[in-house]
Amino acid sequence: MNGENKVINFTRGVPPTEAFPTKQLQECAVAVLENHSSTVLQYHPAAGYLPLREWLGEKYDVSPDHILLSNGSLQLQIFTASILAKTGDNVLVEKPTYDRAITAFRKHGLKVHGVPLDNDGINLGALEEIVNQKKPKFFYIIPDFQNPTGITTSKRKRKKLLELAESHDFWILEDNPYKELRYSGEEIPSIFSMGSEKVLFFSSFSKVLSPGIRVGYLIGPKSILAEITKYAEDTYITPNMLSQGMVHEYCQRGWLEPNIKRLKDLYHPRLKTMLAALDEHLPSVKRYSPEGGFFVGVELPAGIDSQALRSKALDSGVRLSDGRGFYSDKAGEAFLRLPFCALSTQEIEEGIKRLSFLMDL
Ligand SMILES: Cc1ncc(COP(=O)(O)O)c(C=O)c1O
């Protein structure tokens, strides 16, 4: 297929193959099997590989017994939801939010309610109202370069959310896998770092190293972590120790920071191209302005039938996801999530051009 006809996939938020430091990971696998096989090939306490928990402990300034490792962070979110809430309980998410989180919480029988987003994060008026009404067990939030919009929650809103969590006694599940992929602008402290016993912080090596390696982590207060660890142990006995050993080897060789820098250099031009292409070819579409991460969210103008657009786009070689999947209340008809990291700048430009032709804007 030549470049003109190639299918451009605006559906999945995955890293491109060139993001993977394959050779380095190969070396780490050999080293860990040579030096630590009796640990990483054996059953192990469910909290995970201690040297990696110690390494993360230094990075986040907590002791290792505040850290639980698992097979990716989504699995930890599922365990956590199962411990913190029971069937029929209300929980809050941003509107829109990560579709798999909505699915996972619903699978556990939870009632999921969305809090609308402004350009700088959750709408505080709506948040207060819904907290008072629904008495949620937790609020699941992606504060940096949110999936699916790319929005970052301001520091002021993070503080206010913390105050509300404390005064109304609900947990904050801070899911922050994109935080280190900031391409411009000023870093904002994580909610977890603002110091509260009501925050559980989730992240993983999926976006900064490899998702297939499946290493995620949870940082939080010891008592709740003990319960989640027991749940993990009852589920799988031991997480993937070989992966955790490889990740530790990678980190302690000092390779993670240069890899993140390499990824930023790879992704930043792709984000810039996406924003410029939207401004040039689709000026009447409302877009967000992410400073990092994997996604740019856009709202289609009134009058565009998004279902029809999706099928016409497919005929023109552009795959789009259904915006409604990101909304807990099946709104999202006009919403499009545009992932940019796994596409070349030429593909991004071409994909947006094809969409503008279809929308005739
Ligand atoms: C916001 C968010 N949380 C969690 C995940 C899943 O991450 P992991 O691979 O660590 O399970 C993703 C993956 O795309 C994500 O976008």
Side-chain angles (χ1 to χ4, degrees):
M1 208 177 240
N2 67 30
E4 285 269 293
N5 300 324
K6 194 177 168 200
V7 174
I8 295 169
N9 200 337
F10 283 133
T11 51
R12 296 195 61 206
V14 298
T17 307
E18 67 266 30
F20 304 139
T22 310
K23 270 259 157 258
Q24 290 180 321
L25 284 171
Q26 210 175 323
E27 270 185 56
C28 292
V30 170
V32 83
L33 283 169
E34 265 174 11
N35 302 315
H36 304 286
S37 59
S38 61
T39 306
V40 300
L41 297 181
Q42 185 54 281
Y43 283 118
H44 190 276
Y49 192 54
L50 184 58
L52 183 56
R53 290 166 60 221
E54 286 169 342
W55 188 89
L56 286 166
E58 290 221 345
K59 178 177 161 100
Y60 288 98
D61 198 20
V62 294
S63 73
D65 49 7
H66 285 264
I67 301 177
L68 167 60
L69 300 173
S70 184
N71 308 324
S73 63
L74 182 63
Q75 182 148 48
L76 284 164
Q77 286 150 27
I78 295 169
F79 293 162
T80 304
S82 308
I83 293 292
L84 298 185
K86 57 180 189 325
T87 304
D89 280 343
N90 290 316
V91 299
L92 306 185
V93 298
E94 293 160 293
K95 182 173 150 177
T97 190
Y98 179 39
D99 50 349
R100 290 190 196 278
I102 299 178
T103 306
F105 299 154
R106 288 226 171 103
K107 250 187 167 169
H108 183 57
L110 308 183
K111 293 188 181 141
V112 182
H113 307 278
V115 180
L117 287 173
D118 303 324
N119 285 334
D120 62 346
I122 33 170
N123 180 292
L124 289 177
L127 174 66
E128 283 207 58
E129 201 173 304
I130 201 163
V131 162
N132 283 321
Q133 247 178 37
K134 301 291 179 191
K135 317 241 172 302
K137 284 288 189 282
F138 62 75
F139 188 158
Y140 168 81
I141 179 168
I142 310 156
D144 287 85
F145 324 123
Q146 200 242 17
N147 181 358
T149 58
I151 287 175
T152 291
T153 307
S154 68
K155 191 169 174 186
R156 179 180 74 90
K157 290 192 168 180
R158 294 178 195 217
K159 281 190 173 154
K160 184 68 194 169
L161 174 61
L162 258 185
E163 281 167 28
L164 271 178
E166 271 159 12
S167 59
H168 288 71
D169 196 26
F170 61 88
W171 288 91
I172 297 172
L173 273 52
E174 176 178 14
D175 185 14
N176 217 330
Y178 302 102
K179 184 169 182 46
E180 290 176 281
L181 294 174
R182 173 177 278 284
Y183 316 131
S184 64
E186 288 282 300
E187 188 179 339
I188 301 180
S190 66
I191 306 174
F192 159 76
S193 73
M194 293 175 172
S196 163
E197 289 283 294
K198 298 306 284 181
V199 185
L200 294 163
F201 179 89
F202 301 83
S203 190
S204 84
F205 292 90
S206 291
K207 303 297 172 351
V208 291
L209 196 51
S210 144
I213 208 158
R214 306 310 295 141
V215 179
Y217 49 95
L218 162 56
I219 309 179
K222 268 199 254 179
S223 56
I224 192 77
L225 232 69
E227 281 185 68
I228 301 169
T229 308
K230 175 75 174 73
Y231 193 99
E233 182 184 330
D234 292 343
T235 305
Y236 50 45
I237 315 175
T238 296
N240 186 332
M241 296 300 294
L242 179 56
S243 283
Q244 293 179 16
M246 284 169 63
V247 170
H248 174 253
E249 191 67 33
Y250 193 88
C251 293
Q252 62 114 32
R253 287 176 181 218
W255 288 351
L256 188 63
E257 276 312 312
N259 193 55
I260 293 175
K261 158 97 179 55
R262 184 179 65 86
L263 294 177
K264 289 191 203 179
D265 290 344
L266 181 65
Y267 298 154
H268 192 189
R270 297 178 180 193
L271 171 59
K272 284 199 276 196
T273 300
M274 174 65 89
L275 298 179
L278 286 169
D279 291 346
E280 185 181 344
H281 303 297
L282 290 174
S284 54
V285 156
K286 180 193 163 200
R287 69 157 173 85
Y288 297 100
S289 303
E291 295 182 325
F294 269 47
F295 309 103
V296 179
V298 306
E299 301 280 347
L300 299 172
I304 297 229
D305 176 344
S306 62
Q307 315 279 12
L309 176 68
R310 270 204 312 282
S311 65
K312 275 201 291 178
L314 204 53
D315 293 340
S316 304
V318 179
R319 278 206 189 100
L320 299 173
S321 50
D322 186 339
R324 291 172 301 181
F326 305 106
Y327 284 71
S328 48
D329 57 2
K330 290 286 170 247
E333 179 68 32
F335 179 78
L336 278 187
R337 182 186 77 169
L338 297 173
F340 55 86
C341 289
L343 296 169
S344 68
T345 51
Q346 291 83 350
E347 287 169 328
I348 293 167
E349 176 85 25
E350 173 63 23
I352 298 301
K353 268 197 209 155
R354 285 186 203 171
L355 282 182
S356 80
F357 181 70
L358 291 174
M359 286 192 236
D360 199 18
L361 293 172

